[in-house]
Amino acid sequence: MATAPPSTYSAVTLNINGEKHTLTVDHRTTLLDALRERLDMTGTKKGCDQGQCGACTVLVDKRRTVSCLQLAVAAEGREITTIEGVAEGDQLHAVQQAFLDLDGYQCGYCTPGQICSAVAVIEEHAAGWPSAVTDDVRPEAGPPPLTPDEIRERMSGNLCRCGAYVSIVQAVARAAEADAAARADQAEQSTEQEGAAA
């Protein structure tokens, strides 16, 4: 007696922008298609569909991921952040605000992926991760200066067909400065609280 072939569908629960979504997907369904076609989260864009343009970039466990190459079933149990989840309520993320202030977009198609990438770039830089253009990669050297060359290298996986690169680099630099200032304020407040508790 022949056994039935295993099903090519599974029920998955995806944690997207802090909300759980359960759906049944074909094992070959990409995270991008699950977001756009099944969950109507169309902020994430489909560009090349080959992992080369970065338009579909989302954050998975706070790391950049091209969602056209990530299978939805492999994203179960992970924290997924799309462009819809970058802001905190009505308060734009510093990267979003910098893109608006400095015209870091033209047609806007690549902008969601650019912003998600930039959010991760700032976190990676603050954590001291080197890039291909970092001069001193020793951990004790700390984060390298976030120069335009550093930003260009770190954002190189995101293409802009309109050519808004100059403004994108400026926007990432401004957002990184705002992030560094916020981190310094948090460190100062923590030190004051520890001093008061002692």
Side-chain angles (χ1 to χ4, degrees):
M1 197 170 162
T3 58
S7 172
T8 60
Y9 286 81
S10 291
V12 294
T13 301
L14 301 176
N15 181 6
I16 305 167
N17 302 325
E19 292 184 21
K20 294 192 184 302
H21 301 268
T22 301
L23 61 159
T24 301
V25 295
D26 186 300
H27 295 161
R28 299 164 293 181
T29 302
T30 64
L31 178 57
L32 174 61
D33 286 338
L35 290 169
R36 290 184 59 81
E37 308 301 329
R38 300 294 305 282
L39 297 172
D40 294 324
M41 294 184 182
T42 56
T44 304
K45 303 303 183 207
K46 183 178 276 199
C48 67
D49 214 19
Q50 298 175 9
Q52 296 179 1
C53 73
C56 68
T57 302
V58 297
L59 304 176
V60 177
D61 293 336
K62 299 184 180 180
R63 304 271 311 262
R64 293 183 272 178
T65 301
V66 283
S67 59
C68 70
L69 298 182
Q70 170 82 50
L71 294 175
V73 292
E76 186 169 29
R78 302 179 74 189
E79 181 185 333
I80 302 161
T81 305
T82 67
I83 190 64
E84 293 92 345
V86 171
E88 291 191 23
D90 291 336
Q91 179 67 39
L92 293 179
H93 189 282
V95 173
Q96 292 172 306
Q97 190 63 57
F99 267 70
L100 281 173
D101 293 344
L102 297 168
D103 295 326
Y105 55 88
Q106 285 185 33
C107 79
Y109 196 82
C110 72
T111 305
Q114 297 274 4
I115 288 172
C116 285
S117 248
V119 168
V121 160
I122 292 168
E123 288 293 324
E124 292 163 8
H125 176 260
W129 294 13
S131 78
V133 298
T134 303
D135 289 330
D136 190 348
V137 298
R138 295 173 301 146
E140 59 269 17
L146 199 54
T147 62
D149 284 344
E150 278 282 348
I151 294 169
R152 284 186 198 98
E153 172 60 29
R154 292 169 187 264
M155 292 290 294
S156 64
N158 291 80
L159 303 180
C160 172
R161 296 187 74 174
C162 299
Y165 294 115
V166 172
S167 297
I168 290 168
V169 169
Q170 292 171 348
V172 175
R174 180 178 287 182
E177 288 171 12
D179 181 73
R183 287 175 193 269
D185 286 346
Q186 286 177 344
E188 186 177 324
Q189 288 174 3
S190 294
T191 303
E192 288 173 1
Q193 289 172 355
E194 288 171 8

